[in-house]
Amino acid sequence: MRFLMVRFVGFRRKMRQFVRRHHAQSHEKLCSRYREIVVETRHLSVTADLRFACQRKTRIGKPEHSLQPSEYERAGRVDVTTGGIRFAYTDALPGSRPNAFCGVSNGCQLLLKQNGGIPPMRYTVLLALLITASCLNATETKPNILFVLFDDMGWAQPQSYVAESALRKPNLDRLAEQGMRFTDAHSASAVCTPTRYGVLTGRSPARIGQFGVLTTFSKPIIPTNRLTVASLLKQHGYTTASIGKWHLGMNWVDGKPGNESEVPIGAKMTDGPNSLGFDYFYGFTHARNIGTIIEQDKVVKHVEAIENQPLMINRAVEWIGQRKQDEPFFLYFPMCPPHEPLVPSPEYAGKSGAQDVVQNNEKYGDWVYQGDAMLGQLLAALERHDLASNTLVIATSDNGAEHRAYAPLRDSKRSIYEGGHRVPYVVRWPGKVRPGTVNDHTICLNDLMATAAQIVGATLPGDAGEDSVSLLDEFLGTSQNAAHEATIHQSMSGDLAIRRGPWKLIFFQDGKRELYNIQSDLSETTDVLKAETNIAVELTLLMQSYIDNGRSTPGLQQSNEFGLSLVGTPKKVNGKKKNTKEKVN
């Protein structure tokens, strides 16, 4: 038994080089000789890479070329060591059938069985290195995930989206240069709470009747037995944290301690972030209670509103600094800016040089600028601790701007029109996402769940991520078509909309409907419902199927906890009634 110490990256590229280098054998014969390469792994990207390298090059494309599980044979065991992976293979006598096996602690197993005869040792060694490289990628390259959620940041506010914007967000704009900017991204809702439900569950909040926002003493809206992005990633070895604004409800042990704006120090709660997959929570319930600071499950201090965001970002930066290179993490950072209260810290007050062209509030531009600076602090922390190269960063917003409509979009926060839910969405993933790219496909914040699942090689159960699709191919630039068949939108008042391609059909609560071609009429100025009746019928049927199936993605039919309807006021289901309350949140 011989052992090779290897540390390889770029599995796909190396496999292609191998195929080209030995072109004396035809691609078909080469892959026939090595076609019995099997990947049994939770990391789907490894499977895809290996099958692509052989099947795509030879146009085989038939799954029956893989070994069946009953045919697995092991010739050695591979151990993860500090220096890399030890790959074990056997020398064999002429006429024997040598095997090479690679297995690691996270469940990745690769098996090579030679299909008759012994190839030259250089073939075996090189292929061994390549197989080992793929295992190393599966174990060592789980990316950290940093999800930064701005509060009420409008689509047209960053200059990377609208160059004429009078507001300044240099860090977000720089992030767009370093990664991918999505032009057609949407929050699950036009207000805060339901969007956050969608982010963490991958499910439309309309299915539970959540259209408005919660308050300090609102009950939690995510059951502790529902899979969340955090609990999914925790199952796959991630350390998880939520630092910032929660706004998804919690059960206070003493009923309603204190009041809406302040809960006493020492008060405890249950069924909050720690019960939904987050190892660590440090934050506050919502903006009206911004001075009550909760750590884990207990109120730990009271602060002035102006002190809150510096406290949150300092804790997030500290938490990043405690992470280890070989332990992947998920940090969910829902900040307060640009949402009220407008309380820029002294170091930002009057420093942005920005202008609030809609309401002419001198504090607004500085508050927006402070939020962007917080993003910059997180990115700097990643760099400082050598974590940036293996961290997927997503920066976006929970809905449109508060009472600020920006051309070319119609309306703002709360609205079913584009200004209510079309948001900036910027992704950076060094070595994966090509810098400076722009993606015009329609996506939704709900898609974090399915994306995270594909990244770690997990298969979502039928009752999780019902409205979430993976954006991994979008990030990697390998998707020619949009990942979604269609997306669902909702307003604070309970209006629904469905978007498929350029078409957007709105179902108002009063029974009225409107149809727009978003591609040619982004400002939604011309209702073409009467002129495009066939499109309207198709979209109505599709939307009804999404309601009836309890999901907008392929999978087993699920139940809605709320009686959604396209023809009038929705009905209660299991005692659940529509929540359309809106307070300063």
Side-chain angles (χ1 to χ4, degrees), residues 43 56 104 278 342 354 386 439:
H43 299 271
R56 179 72 176 272
V104 291
F278 287 105
L342 307 182
D386 297 323
N439 189 310

Side-chain angles (χ1 to χ4, degrees), residues 68-245:
Q68 298 302 312
S70 60
E71 300 178 86
Y72 291 174
E73 294 180 19
R74 297 188 177 187
R77 183 166 295 279
V78 180
D79 300 312
V80 179
T81 67
T82 304
I85 291 180
R86 294 187 299 168
F87 179 80
Y89 68 91
T90 57
D91 285 337
L93 297 174
S96 66
R97 297 174 60 82
N99 302 281
F101 169 79
C102 171
V104 291
S105 59
N106 76 336
C108 169
Q109 296 183 359
L110 299 174
L111 174 63
L112 165 64
K113 292 186 65 179
Q114 185 206 349
N115 193 9
I118 303 177
M121 184 58 66
R122 66 178 181 274
Y123 288 7
T124 304
V125 172
L126 180 56
L127 194 55
L129 293 176
L130 297 176
I131 293 175
T132 303
S134 71
C135 279
L136 188 63
N137 286 340
T139 57
E140 289 200 354
T141 61
K142 282 184 183 177
N144 308 310
I145 302 175
L146 170 60
F147 192 89
V148 180
L149 189 65
F150 288 83
D151 201 333
D152 293 1
M153 176 174 65
W155 181 84
Q157 288 186 341
Q159 293 179 350
S160 51
Y161 278 78
V162 175
E164 297 78 18
S165 174
L167 300 171
R168 293 189 58 205
K169 300 186 75 68
N171 291 290
L172 184 67
D173 295 337
R174 189 177 306 113
L175 194 70
E177 294 174 355
Q178 297 170 346
M180 178 177 289
R181 177 172 63 87
F182 285 82
T183 64
D184 199 2
H186 297 262
S187 54
S189 168
V191 288
C192 174
T193 293
T195 285
R196 290 158 203 261
Y197 175 90
V199 167
L200 293 182
T201 67
R203 188 184 190 214
S204 170
R207 300 192 186 281
I208 64 168
Q210 189 65 49
F211 294 94
V213 299
L214 302 184
T215 61
T216 301
F217 300 118
S218 295
K219 295 297 182 181
I221 61 173
I222 303 179
T224 56
N225 61 353
R226 172 165 280 276
L227 190 70
T228 67
V229 175
S231 56
L232 168 73
L233 292 174
K234 187 174 180 178
Q235 291 172 4
H236 288 80
Y238 278 68
T239 301
T240 59
S242 172
I243 300 177
K245 176 179 171 181

